[in-house]
Amino acid sequence: MVYVSRKEHFNAAHKLYNPAWSKEKNAEVFGPCANENWHGHNFDLIVTVKGMPDPETGFVIDLKKLSTLIRKQVIERLDHKNLNLDVDFMQGKLASCETLVVEIWKILQPEIKTISKYGVLHAIRLYETPRNYVEYFGE
Amino acid sequence: MVYVSRKEHFNAAHKLYNPAWSKEKNAEVFGPCANENWHGHNFDLIVTVKGMPDPETGFVIDLKKLSTLIRKQVIERLDHKNLNLDVDFMQGKLASCETLVVEIWKILQPEIKTISKYGVLHAIRLYETPRNYVEYFGE
Amino acid sequence: MVYVSRKEHFNAAHKLYNPAWSKEKNAEVFGPCANENWHGHNFDLIVTVKGMPDPETGFVIDLKKLSTLIRKQVIERLDHKNLNLDVDFMQGKLASCETLVVEIWKILQPEIKTISKYGVLHAIRLYETPRNYVEYFGE
Amino acid sequence: MVYVSRKEHFNAAHKLYNPAWSKEKNAEVFGPCANENWHGHNFDLIVTVKGMPDPETGFVIDLKKLSTLIRKQVIERLDHKNLNLDVDFMQGKLASCETLVVEIWKILQPEIKTISKYGVLHAIRLYETPRNYVEYFGE
Amino acid sequence: MVYVSRKEHFNAAHKLYNPAWSKEKNAEVFGPCANENWHGHNFDLIVTVKGMPDPETGFVIDLKKLSTLIRKQVIERLDHKNLNLDVDFMQGKLASCETLVVEIWKILQPEIKTISKYGVLHAIRLYETPRNYVEYFGE
Amino acid sequence: MVYVSRKEHFNAAHKLYNPAWSKEKNAEVFGPCANENWHGHNFDLIVTVKGMPDPETGFVIDLKKLSTLIRKQVIERLDHKNLNLDVDFMQGKLASCETLVVEIWKILQPEIKTISKYGVLHAIRLYETPRNYVEYFGE
């Protein structure tokens, strides 16, 4: 069992804002992250797939195909976008990194088998800044 | 003459948009950077001061004071902000990195002498992403 | 269950030295790390908390509060300090990274619940250099 | 139980090529990685050992000895080499990173006990580029 | 005058070898870099253009166009290639980084004006490893 | 004229302390950097040599020889040392980075010609932390 990881990146705007709360409570809980005019980040996304290497290619998964899959299914929907306004799968959800990694898992997990017979999704890691990151392992 | 540099960072939203143009022309010239709902970045800012080291301290400039100056004069006005909407010194200007480095120079250049008798501002470097950056040397 | 991580840093001096041994044996075992006049490092500390995201905030833990907690409980006691001489919780212990991560765990583990009802401490990772690091998971 | 990691690096050439296939099929499956004139990388190798710290040294394993072991057993056989042509333990195998991490595990796992009575090999992580890496945990 | 930089990367194999010398002299001068079976690197290439920002776009040069230009004129001819065997503009030259930066300058310098009326090429920086790099400023 | 750079690193302890001042004044000016029990850093040192490439080797300077020279003349005297107590060329000087880069220049400048007939020393850059660095160009 070998674990294979691929890093992609995207730039996006967002704000942390709970619409069930007043503007004041949002400012109190989320601080400058609640700025109604938005702020943004360069996000780094690491996708890890685990499995037995294919004896014919030596690959758990073809990293070019994994990169293409991530870009098509995830990056194109997030890059240069507003996470609160522009992203279909984030509608009605808090635009936190914790929400994002779970949603990205839901998108990618069933797709991995379309490009690899040996690999299954193991982890999603998302860096919001070089000092803050979140991970999800599907449970 | 020794050159001393300090790196600070901020997160912000912006869009590249010339209000004298149609929405279509903005999209054509700036591509996804013109997204009207904004996108954003983690910016890294490097400020370089040059001068003779003070014989009593061994410092061209006290880097703690330089850090405090940059944070108060620049970072607090940019961090978790929208560069097009929230920043006084960017009003009426294109929110590009080229504009930002020149404006940051104008703010910091006269302030350096308030914290150092030996140093003068030499350069402003601004990373928009790890792969794109701009520099300004004051002329 | 989502894993959330925050990176902080500190600079410190230390030496690797077992007082039960002769100076010669210390030099033999620890090499230049036993230099009696000390050496030092820029340490990077990554703290990982795991839990269910709070449905109201989308957070496992508020990373600003986690940062404040780490700085107050750990960084202030280590930054610009001598790990052998200045740090109360390292008294009588070998000043190795292995010791440090276990002691930092003991300090932070009971504190996490004071700032998060959903998160528990999962891991402490400490980089002594970009090429040497240690991790502790509480058992 | 503490986990201790050491990073080493090497530069090497390779190609992804299955000799049981035609040149056309290799090009189709491996794309530019099948270039018969080779390409290459700066590889980063991270070796993780886990165990109880030795009460006399505070070490799970002496990182200087671990570095020397990795360099002698692994790096010297890979650095400035052609992974397909020059490396004894890669003969007859696909020169993928998945193959490399498993072979490096086989080499290092029995050697760890020669330099540490407390540590056992936990993981091998190999970066082919800053964006592609593989890991192996021995099973 | 603002300086704008873009980083791209490529992977390639090469050897340092002077065909006018014996195999022994090549091994003596170039050491393991002369390995006749090649070795390789992940190269990082930084291209810097200087000029006045265009008042309509705020750009010295459109970084998307610069990236496209570098990829088409330089990266496609170097990536996953053998610098000694596969690259037309390196034929008959020593495959050192010093040679590469000068040749890349010659290719890009006349092309910059095709995508920017304000910018001129200022510098080419090439990282062979994170610890070794070369720069050329056109003279 | 090509510029060639090599990065090396060392770990050291120091304090910022002017012996002509009282302990109180040192604490006031240098803050926690004046801690009498020392603190320390992982320093990164980048040495840049400029010149015409040798037509026979393609090298401005052999980077292996440059690395060996820097290690022998500089790193061995600084690594795992106390900059205030253990380093001959820092005796009687303030242990600031500004002092260090000038002293390292004085040591390396006359030595470059012993290993290269084409190169002359151009710059010394010293990182004290990833966010603070100084440079010296010999004048």
Side-chain angles (χ1 to χ4, degrees):
Chain A
M1 182 83 83
V2 177
Y3 295 71
V4 181
S5 296
R6 171 72 189 169
K7 181 159 76 169
E8 299 289 342
H9 55 85
F10 60 94
N11 308 320
H14 76 148
K15 67 178 171 189
L16 298 180
Y17 203 88
N18 183 337
W21 293 347
S22 69
K23 192 170 155 179
E24 289 69 28
K25 180 153 187 200
N26 274 288
E28 183 197 321
V29 172
F30 295 119
C33 297
N35 176 14
E36 64 185 338
N37 285 334
W38 321 97
H39 66 285
H41 300 287
N42 305 325
F43 292 88
D44 271 333
L45 174 67
I46 301 179
V47 175
T48 303
V49 172
K50 68 180 174 187
M52 300 299 292
D54 181 325
E56 288 202 306
T57 60
F59 284 167
V60 170
I61 191 168
D62 182 328
L63 279 175
K64 277 227 170 51
K65 287 184 186 169
L66 179 58
S67 171
T68 302
L69 177 71
I70 302 168
R71 289 181 191 212
K72 187 165 169 222
Q73 298 291 337
V74 177
I75 302 299
E76 281 186 14
R77 294 154 87 179
L78 297 173
D79 191 37
H80 285 80
K81 294 292 194 297
N82 183 306
L83 301 180
N84 302 66
L85 301 180
D86 296 333
V87 182
D88 52 357
F89 64 81
M90 294 294 285
Q91 292 307 304
K93 301 191 180 74
L94 285 156
S96 71
C97 283
E98 287 90 333
T99 308
L100 263 177
V101 282
V102 174
E103 295 304 314
I104 293 170
W105 175 283
K106 287 184 198 163
I107 292 168
L108 290 179
Q109 189 271 336
E111 298 285 337
I112 297 296
K113 66 172 167 287
T114 68
I115 57 168
S116 166
K117 57 179 165 170
Y118 295 90
V120 295
L121 186 59
H122 172 67
I124 305 288
R125 179 185 286 201
L126 182 66
Y127 285 84
E128 189 178 69
T129 72
R131 300 177 68 180
N132 292 348
Y133 64 88
V134 303
E135 293 165 291
Y136 184 58
F137 299 89
E139 52 186 343
Chain B
M1 182 82 84
V2 178
Y3 296 71
V4 181
S5 296
R6 172 72 189 170
K7 182 159 76 169
E8 300 287 343
H9 55 84
F10 60 94
N11 308 320
H14 76 147
K15 67 178 170 189
L16 298 179
Y17 203 86
N18 183 338
W21 293 346
S22 68
K23 194 171 155 178
E24 289 68 28
K25 180 153 186 199
N26 274 289
E28 183 197 320
V29 173
F30 295 118
C33 298
N35 176 14
E36 62 186 337
N37 285 334
W38 322 97
H39 67 286
H41 300 286
N42 304 326
F43 292 88
D44 272 332
L45 174 68
I46 300 179
V47 175
T48 302
V49 172
K50 69 179 172 188
M52 300 297 293
D54 181 326
E56 288 203 306
T57 59
F59 284 168
V60 170
I61 192 167
D62 182 328
L63 279 175
K64 276 224 170 57
K65 288 184 187 168
L66 179 58
S67 172
T68 302
L69 177 71
I70 302 168
R71 290 183 191 210
K72 187 165 168 224
Q73 298 291 337
V74 178
I75 303 299
E76 281 186 15
R77 294 153 88 178
L78 297 173
D79 190 37
H80 284 79
K81 293 292 192 297
N82 183 306
L83 300 181
N84 302 65
L85 301 179
D86 296 333
V87 182
D88 53 357
F89 63 80
M90 294 294 285
Q91 292 308 304
K93 302 191 179 74
L94 285 157
S96 71
C97 283
E98 287 89 334
T99 308
L100 262 177
V101 283
V102 174
E103 296 303 314
I104 292 170
W105 176 282
K106 287 184 199 164
I107 291 168
L108 290 178
Q109 189 272 335
E111 298 285 336
I112 297 296
K113 66 172 166 289
T114 68
I115 58 167
S116 167
K117 57 179 166 173
Y118 295 90
V120 295
L121 186 59
H122 172 67
I124 304 289
R125 181 184 284 200
L126 182 67
Y127 285 85
E128 188 177 71
T129 72
R131 300 177 69 180
N132 291 348
Y133 64 90
V134 303
E135 292 164 292
Y136 184 57
F137 299 88
E139 52 188 340
Chain C
M1 182 81 83
V2 177
Y3 295 71
V4 181
S5 296
R6 171 73 188 169
K7 180 159 75 169
E8 300 287 344
H9 56 85
F10 60 94
N11 308 320
H14 76 147
K15 66 178 170 189
L16 298 180
Y17 203 87
N18 183 338
W21 292 346
S22 68
K23 194 169 154 180
E24 288 69 29
K25 180 153 187 199
N26 274 290
E28 182 198 321
V29 172
F30 294 118
C33 297
N35 176 13
E36 63 185 336
N37 284 334
W38 322 98
H39 66 286
H41 300 286
N42 304 325
F43 292 88
D44 272 333
L45 173 68
I46 300 178
V47 175
T48 302
V49 172
K50 68 180 174 188
M52 300 298 293
D54 181 325
E56 288 202 305
T57 60
F59 284 167
V60 171
I61 192 167
D62 182 326
L63 279 175
K64 277 224 170 55
K65 288 184 186 168
L66 179 59
S67 172
T68 302
L69 177 71
I70 302 168
R71 290 183 192 210
K72 188 167 166 222
Q73 298 291 338
V74 178
I75 303 299
E76 280 186 15
R77 294 154 88 179
L78 297 174
D79 190 36
H80 285 79
K81 293 292 193 297
N82 183 306
L83 301 179
N84 302 65
L85 301 180
D86 296 333
V87 182
D88 53 357
F89 63 80
M90 293 294 285
Q91 293 307 305
K93 302 191 179 75
L94 285 156
S96 71
C97 283
E98 286 90 335
T99 308
L100 263 176
V101 284
V102 174
E103 296 303 314
I104 293 170
W105 175 283
K106 288 183 198 163
I107 292 168
L108 290 178
Q109 189 270 336
E111 298 285 337
I112 297 296
K113 65 174 167 288
T114 68
I115 58 167
S116 167
K117 57 178 165 173
Y118 296 89
V120 294
L121 186 59
H122 172 67
I124 304 288
R125 180 184 286 200
L126 182 67
Y127 285 85
E128 188 177 71
T129 73
R131 301 176 69 180
N132 291 348
Y133 65 89
V134 303
E135 291 165 293
Y136 184 58
F137 299 89
E139 53 187 341
Chain D
M1 182 82 84
V2 178
Y3 295 71
V4 181
S5 296
R6 172 73 189 169
K7 181 159 76 169
E8 301 288 343
H9 56 84
F10 60 94
N11 308 321
H14 76 149
K15 67 178 171 188
L16 298 179
Y17 203 88
N18 182 337
W21 293 346
S22 69
K23 193 171 156 179
E24 289 69 27
K25 180 153 186 200
N26 274 289
E28 183 197 322
V29 172
F30 294 118
C33 298
N35 176 12
E36 63 185 336
N37 284 334
W38 321 97
H39 66 287
H41 301 284
N42 304 324
F43 292 88
D44 272 332
L45 173 68
I46 299 178
V47 175
T48 302
V49 172
K50 69 180 172 187
M52 300 299 292
D54 181 325
E56 288 202 306
T57 60
F59 285 167
V60 171
I61 191 168
D62 182 327
L63 279 174
K64 279 226 169 52
K65 288 184 187 168
L66 179 58
S67 172
T68 302
L69 177 71
I70 302 168
R71 289 182 192 211
K72 187 166 168 223
Q73 298 290 336
V74 177
I75 303 298
E76 281 185 16
R77 294 154 87 178
L78 297 173
D79 191 37
H80 285 79
K81 294 292 194 295
N82 183 306
L83 301 180
N84 302 65
L85 301 180
D86 296 332
V87 182
D88 53 357
F89 63 81
M90 294 293 286
Q91 293 307 305
K93 302 190 179 76
L94 285 156
S96 72
C97 283
E98 287 90 334
T99 309
L100 263 177
V101 283
V102 174
E103 295 304 314
I104 292 170
W105 176 283
K106 287 183 198 164
I107 292 168
L108 290 179
Q109 190 271 335
E111 298 285 337
I112 297 296
K113 67 173 166 287
T114 68
I115 58 168
S116 165
K117 57 179 165 171
Y118 296 88
V120 295
L121 186 60
H122 172 66
I124 304 290
R125 180 185 285 200
L126 182 67
Y127 284 85
E128 188 177 70
T129 73
R131 300 176 70 180
N132 292 348
Y133 65 88
V134 304
E135 292 164 292
Y136 184 58
F137 299 88
E139 51 188 342
Chain E
M1 182 82 83
V2 177
Y3 295 71
V4 181
S5 296
R6 172 71 189 170
K7 181 159 76 169
E8 299 288 343
H9 55 84
F10 61 94
N11 308 320
H14 77 148
K15 67 178 171 189
L16 298 180
Y17 203 88
N18 183 337
W21 293 346
S22 68
K23 193 171 157 180
E24 288 70 27
K25 179 152 188 200
N26 273 289
E28 183 197 322
V29 173
F30 294 118
C33 299
N35 175 13
E36 64 185 336
N37 284 335
W38 322 96
H39 67 285
H41 300 286
N42 304 326
F43 292 88
D44 272 332
L45 173 68
I46 300 178
V47 175
T48 302
V49 172
K50 69 180 173 187
M52 300 298 293
D54 181 325
E56 288 201 307
T57 59
F59 285 166
V60 170
I61 192 167
D62 182 328
L63 279 174
K64 278 226 169 53
K65 288 184 187 168
L66 179 59
S67 171
T68 303
L69 177 71
I70 302 168
R71 290 182 192 212
K72 188 166 169 223
Q73 298 291 337
V74 178
I75 303 299
E76 281 186 15
R77 294 154 88 179
L78 297 173
D79 191 38
H80 284 80
K81 293 292 193 297
N82 183 307
L83 301 180
N84 302 66
L85 300 180
D86 296 332
V87 181
D88 53 357
F89 63 82
M90 293 294 285
Q91 293 307 305
K93 302 191 178 74
L94 284 156
S96 72
C97 284
E98 288 90 333
T99 308
L100 263 177
V101 283
V102 174
E103 296 303 315
I104 293 170
W105 175 283
K106 287 184 199 164
I107 292 168
L108 290 179
Q109 189 272 337
E111 298 285 336
I112 298 297
K113 67 173 167 289
T114 67
I115 58 168
S116 167
K117 57 178 165 171
Y118 295 89
V120 295
L121 186 59
H122 172 68
I124 304 290
R125 180 184 285 201
L126 182 68
Y127 285 84
E128 188 177 71
T129 73
R131 299 176 70 179
N132 292 348
Y133 64 89
V134 303
E135 292 164 292
Y136 184 57
F137 299 88
E139 51 188 341
Chain F
M1 182 82 83
V2 177
Y3 294 70
V4 181
S5 296
R6 172 71 189 170
K7 181 159 76 169
E8 299 288 343
H9 56 85
F10 60 95
N11 308 321
H14 77 148
K15 65 178 170 189
L16 298 180
Y17 203 87
N18 183 337
W21 293 346
S22 68
K23 192 169 156 180
E24 289 69 30
K25 180 152 187 200
N26 273 289
E28 183 197 321
V29 173
F30 295 118
C33 298
N35 176 14
E36 63 185 338
N37 284 334
W38 321 97
H39 66 285
H41 300 285
N42 305 325
F43 292 88
D44 272 333
L45 173 69
I46 300 179
V47 175
T48 303
V49 172
K50 69 180 173 187
M52 300 298 293
D54 181 325
E56 287 202 307
T57 60
F59 285 167
V60 171
I61 192 167
D62 182 326
L63 279 174
K64 277 226 171 54
K65 288 183 186 169
L66 179 59
S67 171
T68 303
L69 176 71
I70 302 168
R71 290 182 192 211
K72 188 167 168 223
Q73 298 291 337
V74 178
I75 303 299
E76 281 186 15
R77 295 154 86 179
L78 297 173
D79 191 36
H80 285 78
K81 293 292 192 296
N82 183 307
L83 300 180
N84 302 65
L85 301 180
D86 296 333
V87 182
D88 53 357
F89 63 81
M90 294 293 284
Q91 293 308 304
K93 302 192 180 73
L94 284 157
S96 71
C97 284
E98 288 89 334
T99 308
L100 263 177
V101 281
V102 174
E103 296 303 315
I104 293 171
W105 176 282
K106 287 184 199 163
I107 292 168
L108 290 179
Q109 189 271 334
E111 299 285 338
I112 297 297
K113 66 173 166 287
T114 67
I115 58 168
S116 167
K117 58 178 163 172
Y118 295 90
V120 294
L121 186 59
H122 172 68
I124 304 289
R125 180 184 285 200
L126 182 67
Y127 285 84
E128 188 177 72
T129 72
R131 300 176 69 180
N132 292 348
Y133 65 88
V134 303
E135 291 164 292
Y136 184 58
F137 299 89
E139 51 187 343

